[in-house]
Amino acid sequence: MAAAIEVNNITKKFRVYLDKGSTMKEKVLFQNRRKYEERTVLNGISFNVDKGEAIGLIGQNGCGKSTTLKLLTRIMYPDSGNIEMHGRVSSLIELGAGFHPDMSGRQNIYINASIFGLTHKEIDKRINSIIAFSELEDYIDNPVRTYSSGMYMRLAFSVAINVNADILLIDEILAVGDAAFQAKCFNKLREIKATGTTIVIVSHSLGQIEQICDRSLWIHQGKIKAEGMPREIHMQYLNYMGEKIQQDSCSVSSDEKNMVANQAAGENQGKDNIEKKSRWGNGAAQITKIQVLNSKGEEKRVFATGEDAIIKVWYTVKNVVPDADFGIGIFRNDGIQCYGTNTRIEHFPKFDLSKDGVFELQIDSLTLLAGKYWIDLAIESSNGLPVDYFTRAFELEVFSPIGDVGVCRIRHKWQLQL
């Protein structure tokens, strides 16, 4: 597949002044203030993005994510290396960038869209759909300086997605706005991705990236540390961040910071049925045994669509896990995420893990359709840091006597009026 973006061995350095004089007098009299140090933000990064692909850039603050995006938009240029962009580019780099505060929302639509390469006639044809998507009809003729940050985001996003760009670049812009509009934005991003638009997103919200992106790039100290499927790369990143926080706080000893991974499999399903799988976490607590039961308490690996199921998980605790929560993800064997939830989402009362125990998830009706599925399990501490994230912890097979297609069966009732 042809590449929409080609980034070849780019480097970027910035001068960081210790105390820079702002006036001519200060520059002459206090030359010591002009001392600076050069910091390399990007150090030989290379990657390609195929047409129609969506990728996410993740990493700590200051690692070079936003700098990479600004280089792609040509707001700035690399010190060495080159970038090739194939097609019209639309970007959401900074909230309100390109907006004039004293002009109305309508006037700013024309200015912003023209920056993206649209003619006045093209904007005339699209302005009604831009305003309708932003839901700012009652405020569109007010000066944008009177807008809230959420209104800024609505307007900026609405313009960016309506210029029929080949490449869309987004930097943390979706962190602003109410939940309903964020959901609307996600749905729109999926739509424009389906039409073949290439998308690059910078975000600290890993969940957002997993909903939209095909691939994640983890940038660390100016280099690409890892890239691949978002869920796998995000677990590596969270594991690194968890260990870093543990080291900084010195809350656990070094041997407890590393996960005791790849536990031996049990002799049968009823025993400690943990096989050698990928796991991440700081090891303060560990999942040791998993069972999936039917409503009669019988252990099973094959269920019928609509059958009740109970997921039972044993764990041991080495160090207290403050403000803990348990999570589950269900994935079809082709990688499609079917469902995910955790005790925090469910507003379960806060709790600390201080001793060994068992938790259960009762599913009143397993609505998955025929296929093979993997169950991910997780124990997390405060701030969502993984204590034991166990991917592919349990394999489940579902058969269905009905002919529905898709991932899950939605309860429904047909009514005909002939």
Side-chain angles (χ1 to χ4, degrees):
M1 185 178 291
I5 302 173
E6 299 177 63
V7 177
N8 301 305
N9 199 32
I10 60 170
T11 62
K12 185 65 180 177
K13 297 179 180 179
F14 291 98
R15 289 182 177 181
V16 179
Y17 286 86
L18 304 179
D19 185 14
K20 187 177 181 180
S22 57
T23 65
M24 181 63 72
K25 178 181 178 181
E26 289 174 338
K27 290 177 181 179
V28 172
L29 295 179
F30 307 106
Q31 294 188 19
N32 287 339
R33 290 187 177 182
R34 295 184 57 79
K35 289 183 178 179
Y36 63 86
E37 60 182 36
E38 268 194 351
R39 293 184 184 173
T40 301
V41 177
L42 297 174
N43 187 12
I45 282 183
S46 298
F47 63 90
N48 289 348
V49 186
D50 292 334
K51 289 182 179 179
E53 185 183 17
I55 72 164
L57 305 181
I58 67 170
Q60 295 174 262
N61 289 332
C63 71
K65 305 184 302 296
S66 296
T67 299
T68 301
L69 217 61
K70 289 176 181 176
L71 293 171
L72 295 180
T73 59
R74 295 188 173 91
I75 292 175
M76 59 177 67
Y77 292 88
D79 297 329
S80 63
N82 66 291
I83 298 173
E84 296 291 336
M85 307 288 287
H86 304 286
R88 175 186 280 175
V89 179
S90 177
S91 60
L92 286 160
I93 300 300
E94 188 174 336
L95 194 64
F99 284 177
H100 193 294
D102 294 324
M103 291 185 176
S104 69
R106 188 184 303 274
Q107 292 170 320
N108 273 289
I109 289 174
Y110 279 91
I111 294 171
N112 216 247
S114 65
I115 292 173
F116 292 138
L118 267 64
T119 65
H120 197 282
K121 288 184 178 179
E122 288 176 318
I123 302 170
D124 285 339
K125 292 178 181 178
R126 303 177 193 186
I127 191 164
N128 289 335
S129 59
I130 292 172
I131 295 172
F133 189 92
S134 71
E135 302 173 2
L136 294 173
E137 292 92 338
D138 295 338
Y139 310 95
I140 198 64
D141 292 310
N142 295 352
V144 297
R145 58 179 160 76
T146 64
Y147 286 11
S148 67
S149 59
M151 294 166 73
Y152 258 106
M153 188 276 291
R154 287 169 180 259
L155 192 62
F157 188 87
S158 301
V159 174
I161 62 172
N162 278 284
V163 299
N164 289 358
D166 302 299
I167 301 169
L168 178 60
L169 310 174
I170 304 174
D171 186 4
E172 291 288 2
I173 194 77
L174 296 181
V176 183
D178 56 62
F181 192 76
Q182 283 193 28
K184 185 177 178 179
C185 292
F186 285 134
N187 291 334
K188 188 64 178 180
L189 285 176
R190 291 189 186 99
E191 286 179 22
I192 63 177
K193 181 190 172 189
T195 64
T197 300
T198 304
I199 301 173
V200 181
I201 298 176
V202 168
S203 180
H204 287 289
S205 175
L206 304 183
Q208 288 182 355
I209 291 177
E210 289 177 13
Q211 289 183 55
I212 298 168
C213 297
D214 307 300
R215 182 160 53 104
S216 284
L217 275 65
W218 174 12
I219 300 177
H220 180 68
Q221 296 181 350
K223 295 179 178 289
I224 295 177
K225 186 177 180 69
E227 63 177 297
M229 291 287 291
R231 191 164 60 99
E232 296 175 2
I233 301 304
H234 296 173
M235 286 305 102
Q236 295 179 38
Y237 172 64
L238 287 172
N239 186 55
Y240 167 80
M241 292 300 294
E243 290 184 352
K244 185 175 184 298
I245 290 174
Q246 292 276 7
Q247 290 168 0
D248 291 343
S249 63
C250 299
S251 59
V252 294
S253 60
S254 60
D255 60 330
E256 292 167 338
K257 291 172 186 172
N258 299 315
M259 167 51 58
V260 182
N262 301 328
Q263 294 288 320
E267 294 181 357
N268 56 57
Q269 296 178 38
K271 302 296 182 180
D272 291 348
N273 55 357
I274 299 212
E275 302 175 7
K276 294 184 178 180
K277 308 286 183 181
S278 297
R279 325 178 57 154
W280 315 101
N282 59 31
Q286 183 182 350
I287 294 168
T288 57
K289 181 180 175 181
I290 305 157
Q291 286 184 339
V292 180
L293 313 171
N294 63 12
S295 57
K296 298 178 181 178
E298 301 167 338
E299 188 170 5
K300 297 181 65 177
R301 284 184 180 263
V302 180
F303 284 79
T305 299
E307 190 175 358
D308 295 347
I310 300 170
I311 299 172
K312 195 170 184 179
V313 180
W314 284 258
Y315 60 88
T316 59
V317 177
K318 297 180 180 178
N319 294 281
V320 175
V321 180
D323 192 13
D325 70 294
F326 300 115
I328 182 174
I330 302 177
F331 296 81
R332 202 167 62 186
N333 61 354
D334 61 358
I336 297 294
Q337 184 168 15
C338 305
Y339 185 67
T341 189
N342 60 42
T343 50
R344 199 179 305 278
I345 293 173
E346 299 292 339
H347 302 294
F348 199 84
K350 290 186 177 181
F351 58 94
D352 297 337
L353 285 189
S354 57
K355 60 181 180 179
D356 302 355
V358 181
F359 70 85
E360 290 185 3
L361 176 67
Q362 297 184 14
I363 302 173
D364 292 336
S365 179
L366 193 63
T367 58
L368 297 172
L369 290 177
K372 290 187 177 181
Y373 300 86
W374 287 104
I375 294 176
D376 286 11
L377 295 167
I379 301 173
E380 296 180 339
S381 62
S382 56
N383 302 320
L385 295 174
V387 174
D388 186 6
Y389 195 107
F390 194 174
T391 64
R392 298 193 169 197
F394 198 93
E395 185 179 26
L396 196 68
E397 188 167 355
V398 178
F399 70 91
S400 178
I402 55 181
D404 295 18
V405 295
V407 174
C408 66
R409 178 172 172 80
I410 298 175
R411 291 183 179 179
H412 62 276
K413 183 184 295 185
W414 290 101
Q415 289 185 344
L416 301 179
Q417 295 179 355
L418 300 176

